[in-house]
Amino acid sequence: MGSPPEDKAVLGMCLDMCPIAERVQRERQRRLHRFEEEPVGKSHSSGSVSSPRADPQRTVKEYSRPAAGKASTRPEDLRVAPVLMRTVDHLLDEVVSRKDASFREVYAFVSDRLRAVRQDLVIQRISGPERLPVLEKSARFLLVAGYLLDTDPPSPEHIHHDQKLNEQQTQETLLRVLQSLDEDDVIGEGEWHAVYLLYNLGSFHALQSMLKLRRQARDRPVLKMAWEINRAFMESNYVRLFRLALRLPFLHSCALYRHLTTLRTAAVHHYKSAFTSRNGSVPLDKLVGWLALDGVTQGIALCRHFGLTLSADDHTVTFKRKYVQGGPPSPSLRSAAKLVGNKQGGTCLHQVMHSGRANGEEKLVR
């Protein structure tokens, strides 16, 4: 998604969410997504077979690689800045909020179209206040999606998603957000650097980036919390890490979530070293609290996964010197209601992805 050389920078002219030429071509080739089709009853006939018709108000430009042979830098194919913002708002308001589709189907569509939006931004070198809101909303979508895709049950459509691609896009978008922040926006600096620090837990580069911030930004409560979580991680103080993580806001919890399996695995190894002895046992509910698990049932699943010995009444856990980790975590272990999901509260997903700092700074959970 690199931008063209300076002397070949192109300014867009397209005033629609999808260039007309692409819309016509995809309609003819029957490559419309169902989210882009006109409502049933408005389709047209081509010969004896009825084919879907593109709805100009719902069709959104697809992402295409620059090397795919398409003239992606023609002015008529590049959307102007206000249209890019309108496109993002359409995707969040009209697609993410749909009740007739699984989140996996929504993600497959929205992530591709947001990628095309960011591509148009880069090619045109759009900057300033027209750039940041587009990137922020894209980043929120990708962060929340990383959590939901891992915890939601498989969709009936058997839609596959590439978690590595999601992580790559999230990293790229977060970096662009950080590069685009207004230098006078202390709250924005604090909150987005906190997200970046949590998403890249233990990263020297992320820590160094944070330390270069002005003191006013470093003093933001959520960034101070992210720093303390990183410190607990580097000290292998997992009890403190999970206790602090419970206080993170929803979006920041989504950023930390991608490390959850690794963190809990490391914590169990750490506790094994600390409690291995003939009488080295701890109450199950204590272990549940240390790892911020969702309850005793999830604690039992974790013990079975790691081959930890449970007492007959399932109240006590015994750590042995040798145990076998039983394959990939079960779906029940990927659940993180206390750490992440419950913090969404009654806020709809599309509102979470829209939410900016107009409503005030993100608050830590008490």
Side-chain angles (χ1 to χ4, degrees):
M1 239 173 15
S3 55
E6 194 69 37
D7 60 340
K8 293 185 179 179
V10 181
L11 292 180
M13 296 172 54
C14 180
L15 301 179
D16 296 313
M17 293 193 297
C18 182
I20 294 175
E22 179 187 320
R23 188 172 73 234
V24 171
Q25 181 185 54
R26 287 206 284 126
E27 180 182 87
R28 185 174 64 250
Q29 296 175 347
R30 300 190 181 185
R31 291 194 299 107
L32 295 171
H33 193 282
R34 70 184 183 99
F35 298 161
E36 301 174 307
E37 297 171 359
E38 282 190 341
V40 177
K42 292 188 177 182
S43 60
H44 67 93
S45 295
S46 176
S48 59
V49 181
S50 179
S51 58
R53 192 185 194 107
D55 186 338
Q57 303 304 314
R58 302 166 74 195
T59 310
V60 184
K61 181 181 177 180
E62 283 185 322
Y63 172 76
S64 61
R65 295 181 181 278
K70 294 187 178 182
S72 58
T73 57
R74 296 188 310 169
E76 57 268 33
D77 291 335
L78 295 171
R79 293 160 292 183
V80 298
V83 173
L84 292 175
M85 188 73 259
R86 176 160 59 88
T87 301
V88 173
D89 288 342
H90 165 79
L91 292 169
L92 300 186
D93 290 333
E94 304 300 327
V95 182
V96 170
S97 60
R98 289 181 74 115
K99 304 298 183 185
D100 63 340
S102 68
F103 184 76
R104 290 174 187 270
E105 183 181 8
V106 166
Y107 171 78
F109 179 80
V110 174
S111 62
D112 175 86
R113 290 349 187 230
L114 285 178
R115 197 176 183 187
V117 166
R118 297 194 300 275
Q119 185 180 54
D120 280 11
L121 271 181
V122 171
I123 291 173
Q124 298 177 81
R125 291 189 177 83
I126 294 173
S127 60
E130 294 177 315
R131 172 186 174 96
L132 183 59
V134 171
L135 292 173
E136 287 185 313
K137 293 181 182 187
S138 296
R140 292 190 195 102
F141 172 81
L142 292 167
L143 286 163
V144 174
Y147 164 67
L148 290 179
L149 290 169
D150 202 47
T151 55
D152 272 13
S155 64
E157 306 92 350
H158 302 292
I159 296 173
H160 172 73
H161 77 276
D162 187 339
Q163 191 74 352
K164 290 296 182 183
L165 180 60
N166 176 268
E167 292 179 1
Q168 177 187 336
Q169 290 188 42
T170 305
Q171 290 281 25
E172 291 175 357
T173 306
L174 285 176
L175 283 171
R176 289 198 173 110
V177 168
L178 297 183
Q179 293 162 1
S180 306
L181 286 168
D182 188 322
E183 61 182 15
D184 296 323
D185 186 0
V186 174
I187 293 178
E189 275 192 347
E191 294 196 359
W192 281 110
H193 275 272
V195 169
Y196 187 67
L197 195 57
L198 293 164
Y199 199 75
N200 295 279
L201 191 68
S203 162
F204 174 77
H205 172 77
L207 289 166
Q208 190 178 46
S209 175
M210 174 216 155
L211 292 172
K212 291 179 179 178
L213 295 176
R214 293 166 294 167
R215 186 175 187 84
Q216 302 97 306
R218 294 201 310 271
D219 283 343
R220 304 322 303 171
V222 72
L223 183 52
K224 291 170 78 173
M225 181 65 73
W227 163 258
E228 290 299 329
I229 288 172
N230 263 270
R231 181 179 171 184
F233 171 71
M234 290 185 287
E235 294 173 350
S236 298
N237 189 342
Y238 297 104
V239 173
R240 186 165 188 267
L241 187 154
F242 284 112
R243 185 172 69 245
L244 295 175
L246 287 170
R247 298 196 57 205
L248 288 171
F250 176 63
L251 189 71
H252 296 76
S253 298
C254 289
L256 182 65
Y257 173 81
R258 82 171 181 131
H259 305 287
L260 184 59
T261 298
T262 301
L263 288 173
R264 284 179 171 161
T265 300
V268 169
H269 281 274
H270 187 73
Y271 300 149
K272 177 182 76 74
S273 299
F275 294 105
T276 295
S277 70
R278 183 170 295 180
N279 298 313
S281 60
V282 296
L284 177 60
D285 59 354
K286 184 74 71 176
L287 184 64
V288 167
W290 288 344
L291 298 175
L293 297 168
D294 289 340
V296 171
T297 300
Q298 194 177 40
I300 292 172
L302 178 133
C303 290
R304 289 174 178 164
H305 173 68
F306 286 103
L308 305 179
T309 302
L310 282 164
S311 60
D313 57 5
D314 289 339
H315 287 171
T316 305
V317 182
T318 302
F319 292 83
K320 300 181 294 185
R321 289 191 181 278
K322 293 183 179 180
Y323 63 90
V324 178
Q325 184 176 329
S330 66
S332 65
L333 285 180
R334 291 198 294 269
S335 171
K338 281 176 63 177
L339 272 173
V340 188
N342 292 347
K343 296 173 184 176
Q344 182 185 340
T347 308
C348 297
L349 277 180
H350 68 284
Q351 292 174 324
V352 170
M353 295 162 189
H354 267 305
S355 65
R357 282 163 270 113
N359 298 322
E361 186 173 0
E362 286 278 12
K363 303 296 183 184
L364 296 174
V365 177
R366 293 187 179 275

